[in-house]
């Protein structure tokens, strides 16, 4: 474990050095980026070695002479550590040029300081080996990410996003506290081993409370409300880390509790799978209706968390029914999608960051034609969209393929399991189709066509570190999609660490399956290359002319004749209007020669809409009625404190 703690210390040193060197802006960025990158790289290497060696590594320290801070790296935590360190490494490199335009040196220094704490705390969360260690790390992670979300604190919108994230983080933490308190009440100690000794009714309660608490961090519906606000508010490299890996700590928490309980009831699988299908479908529907590029990507994270939960739900049902192959496929597909999503979602947020960096806007309908001058950004972004849409030969296809196979294995089971398996298959198909519509809209409106506003005209791409990070992540999407056999060991090791008995399943055919995917991917690439070569040869020596496309009778087409994001998605969103009501604002068109008009539309998130009416407004109204307590008199405030202490003494 000493190498792991050394990596954490190097990362933390990067954050401290940013504060110390804050007045020397360029030196500060160089030292901070080098140190954070070195720590993350060291962490990746150490985790890789531990994964290859297998087994479990532990360490513990006395805390306040009463408690113990315990850490453990097993297959499950090593899998999440890989994703954390890899994505954080790429985000750190990306940040060098991204933060270069910032004029406030203290703000940049603060960003690197809290970024280092966020990386360290995420790594500590997934290696915690008792309740005290876990909750301390969890709170540090939530607080550090809160300060990163309010980076642009002058903006009312960003402050609101930060407060919303803070509230949801701590409401979720309260549910986790309740679950852990139930364990402590039965076991009398803070060790994780107390979970397995709980009576069955208590195990149900612990799982449900944990699921709500961790699900809030993961962004499952309807506890996702903070996510579309917080992720767009943060700087793009932070958005990449939060969406790529931080929300996965919620998935880790649910899996950890599930494995510790050792209670293989199908109810857990039904809950996880159902929530996964709902989150996946509604997440991508809301993504399709967005006009803000980063907000669209944030909702897409809700969708992909749904896909991950479908895979894990299939795995849990497979375990409860004794269908080992279904369990292996479901869990492996879910784990692999965790890794894949961390790569292509980070890539897409970085691409959105480059667009925002160069155009100054996140509005999809204000962009257009960016691919002409931003070829690397456009190409890597397109690769990310193909991967997230689950198309071969990219990594998103492989993980969703395994989940599909796991669901099809469940079709042979009994009544409820059969229905759940069919729900999973239909859910995945609907999500895949809607994801394709969502990202064809983004690519078509943002990168193709003509610039819709001056912001998108004559825009070029700059920033070597930003382009490097995007290129590496895009190459990762292709590499895993073509050679999944090389990395399939990672999710398989994580599945083994769950402590489930898969001894009766022959794993060799499972590894061979990835070989077949490689053959198909290579064949597809070969066909594409052959077609491209034949096309090139057929045009060799010929004069290729260029002219405007046929304007269907319009001799002077303008950018206003192009599809907007709203018009492209309109017919699909109309079908889902019950779950995604559309609000339109435009004046009535009158006369033969109407004056200049406007059109605004907004898709309502029903969870946020009803939460606002049922919870937020009544709570604010209640606290408004208590404003009489605020007198501004310091003597009365001291009296309140004394009264609170006296009241507490009755309960101690």
């Amino acid at each position: 474990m000493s190498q792991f703690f050394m990596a954490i210390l190097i990362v933390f040193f990067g954050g401290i050095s940013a504060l110390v060197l804050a007045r020397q802006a360029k030196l500060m960025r160089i030292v901070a980026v080098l140190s954070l990158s070195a720590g993350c790289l060291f962490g990746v290497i150490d985790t890789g070695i531990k994964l290859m060696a297998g087994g479990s590594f532990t360490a513990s320290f006395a805390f306040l002479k009463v408690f113990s801070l315990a850490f453990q790296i097993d297959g499950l935590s090593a899998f999440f550590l890989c994703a954390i360190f890899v994505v954080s490494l790429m985000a750190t490199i990306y940040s060098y040029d991204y933060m270069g335009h910032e004029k406030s040196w203290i703000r940049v220094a603060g960003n690197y300081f809290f970024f280092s704490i966020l990386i360290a705390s995420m790594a500590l969360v997934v290696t915690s080996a008792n309740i005290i260690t876990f909750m301390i790390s969890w709170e540090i992670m939530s607080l550090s990410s809160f300060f990163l979300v309010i980076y642009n604190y002058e903006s009312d919108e960003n402050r609101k996003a930060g407060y919303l994230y803070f509230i949801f983080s701590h409401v979720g933490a309260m549910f986790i506290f309740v679950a852990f308190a139930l364990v402590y009440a039965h076991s009398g100690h803070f060790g994780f081993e107390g979970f397995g000794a709980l009576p069955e009714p208590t195990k149900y309660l612990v799982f449900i409370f944990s699921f709500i608490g961790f699900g809030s961090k993961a962004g499952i519906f309807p506890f996702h409300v903070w996510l579309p606000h917080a992720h767009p508010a943060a700087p793009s490299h932070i958005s990449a880390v939060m969406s790529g890996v931080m929300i996965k700590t919620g998935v880790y928490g649910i899996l950890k509790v599930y494995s510790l309980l050792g209670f293989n009831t199908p109810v857990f699988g039904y809950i996880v799978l159902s929530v996964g299908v709902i989150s996946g479908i509604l997440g991508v529907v809301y993504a399709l209706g967005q006009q803000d590029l980063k907000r669209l990507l944030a909702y897409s994270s809700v969708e992909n968390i749904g896909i991950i939960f479908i895979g894990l739900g299939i795995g849990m049902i497979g375990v409860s029914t004794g269908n080992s192959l279904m369990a292996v496929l479901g869990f492996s597909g879910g784990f692999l999608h965790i890794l894949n999503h961390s790569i292509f979602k980070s890539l897409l947020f970085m691409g959105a960051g480059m667009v925002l960096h160069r155009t100054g806007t996140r509005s999809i309908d204000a962009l257009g034609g960016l691919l002409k001058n931003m070829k690397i950004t456009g190409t890597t972004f397109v690769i990310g969209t193909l991967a997230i849409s689950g198309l071969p030969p990219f990594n998103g296809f492989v993980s969703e393929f395994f989940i599909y196979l796991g669901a099809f294995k469940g079709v042979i089971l009994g009544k409820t399991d059969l229905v759940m398996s069919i729900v999973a298959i239909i859910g995945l198909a609907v999500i895949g189709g809607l994801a394709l519509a969502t990202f064809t809209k983004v690519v078509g409106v943002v990168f193709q066509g003509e610039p819709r506003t001056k912001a998108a005209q004559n825009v070029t791409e700059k920033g070597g570190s930003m382009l490097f990070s995007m290129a590496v992540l895009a190459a990762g999407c292709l590499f895993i999609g073509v050679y999944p056999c090389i990395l399939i060991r990672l999710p398989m090791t994580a599945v083994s660490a769950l402590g489930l008995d898969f001894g009766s399943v022959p794993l060799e055919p499972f590894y061979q399956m990835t070989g077949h995917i490689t053959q198909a991917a290579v064949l597809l690439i070969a066909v594409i290359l052959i077609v491209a070569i034949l096309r090139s040869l057929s045009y060799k020596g010929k004069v290729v002319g260029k002219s405007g496309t046929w304007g269907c009778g319009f001799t002077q087409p303008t950018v206003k004749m192009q599809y907007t994001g709203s018009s492209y998605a309109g017919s699909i969103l109309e079908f889902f209007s019950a779950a995604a009501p559309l609000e339109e604002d435009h004046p009535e068109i009158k006369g033969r020669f109407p004056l200049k008009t406007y059109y605004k539309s907004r898709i309502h998130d029903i969870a946020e809409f009803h939460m606002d009416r049922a919870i937020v407004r009544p709570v604010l109204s209640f606290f408004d009625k208590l404003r009489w307590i605020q007198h501004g008199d310091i003597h009365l405030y001291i009296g309140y404190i004394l009264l609170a202490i006296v009241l507490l003494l009755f309960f101690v």
Side-chain angles (χ1 to χ4, degrees), residues 285-304:
V285 167
Y286 294 138
L288 182 60
Q290 299 308 308
Q291 294 154 5
D292 181 310
L293 182 55
K294 290 183 72 176
R295 195 173 166 86
L296 180 148
L297 295 176
Y299 268 115
S300 170
S301 293
V302 179
E303 168 220 337
N304 279 276

Side-chain angles (χ1 to χ4, degrees), residues 39 116 146 159 195 234 252 338 348 476 503 638:
S116 70
F146 163 73
R159 286 203 302 276
F195 282 75
Y252 170 83
I338 289 171
L348 291 174
I638 294 172

Side-chain angles (χ1 to χ4, degrees), residues 244-288:
V245 287
M246 193 197 76
I247 62 173
K248 308 299 179 0
T249 57
V251 180
Y252 170 83
I254 292 170
L255 282 167
K256 188 71 179 177
V257 170
Y258 172 75
S259 66
L260 289 171
L261 289 173
F263 185 39
N264 298 327
T265 171
V267 176
F268 292 167
Y270 300 156
I271 293 172
V272 173
L273 196 154
S274 302
V275 171
V277 171
I278 294 170
S279 298
I281 293 176
L282 291 184
V284 72
V285 167
Y286 294 138
L288 182 60

